[in-house]
Amino acid sequence: MTSEERDLVLVHAGFLLVAAVVLLLPGELARGWRLWLLLVGYDLVTLAVVLARGHDRWLRAWWLAAVTSVFQVVPDAVLVDGLGTLRFPADGAPDLGPVPASMALMWTVPLVLIVSTADAAARRRGAAAGWVAAVLAAGVVFLSAEALLPPLGIWEPVGVTTIGGWLAPYVLPPELLLGAAAWWGVQVTRERHPLLAVPVGALISLLYTGALAASWLLLERGLLA
């Protein structure tokens, strides 16, 4: 394990621990503001570590993930207002249309984990291993998120087939595709101007939005039946 990988693991392990404490402890601070504190803190700590330690690969991965996360408000809004398959309970913090504004930051964490796993696999075992790792990591990360966050009231599926009342199977294929797309995005932007992350991040989110709609039609509405 390289020093960059070790620092990345430590930062994310620390984030998960702090997140559990902040979200589960009783108190009067609204859940939405707790999320803002966690997510802004995550970005600030990440920047401090990567700049102090010179972790350029991690920095570029974080930048693409952060930019893509902002665009991910669009597919979330499509699920809420377009397909009507997702609901965000009121969390006491500002919204962006039908979506909590904190969602513009929330996708950064899983995307960094996914592309960093793919990067480590690619450097050790070749390009094919990177793509496989991106898809597998997306499955693990997003399944974990779907298991942990709905019970905390972050979001909830509406009017769709679920497993255990929280996991909507139709989102899984698009999320696997999102992991692969994010890995592609890191590769095409890593050595180029940082602003290239803007159109690439928008394209990734657009691809994910279309995949969600197609998966919903196929799996929930039986388009092929």
Side-chain angles (χ1 to χ4, degrees), residues 132-151:
V132 172
V135 174
L136 292 178
V140 172
V141 169
F142 288 128
L143 273 174
S144 300
E146 298 286 355
L148 296 173
L149 298 183

Side-chain angles (χ1 to χ4, degrees), residues 28 47 60 65 76 145 197 206 223:
E28 296 184 0
L47 281 174
R60 297 305 293 263
D76 283 337
L206 182 62
L223 185 62

Side-chain angles (χ1 to χ4, degrees), residues 127-201:
W131 290 106
V132 172
V135 174
L136 292 178
V140 172
V141 169
F142 288 128
L143 273 174
S144 300
E146 298 286 355
L148 296 173
L149 298 183
L152 293 176
I154 308 300
W155 69 72
E156 58 187 37
V158 178
V160 292
T161 304
T162 61
I163 298 172
W166 49 267
L167 173 62
Y170 85 95
V171 305
L172 295 180
E175 288 176 340
L176 299 180
L177 179 62
L178 176 61
W183 173 229
W184 165 80
V186 166
Q187 294 178 86
V188 299
T189 60
R190 178 176 283 151
E191 304 298 332
R192 299 178 182 174
H193 195 285
L195 288 180
L196 182 62
V198 176
V200 170

Side-chain angles (χ1 to χ4, degrees), residues 4 10 15 34 36 42 51 53 61-62 64 72 88 98 101 109 111 133 140-141 145 156 163 171 176 178 199 213 220:
E4 181 170 326
L10 290 174
F15 173 76
R34 297 184 189 212
W36 272 104
Y42 169 84
L51 293 176
R53 300 274 288 167
W62 169 84
L64 178 73
Q72 286 292 96
F88 291 99
V109 182
L111 291 177
V140 172
V141 169
E156 58 187 37
I163 298 172
V171 305
L176 299 180
L178 176 61
E220 287 295 324

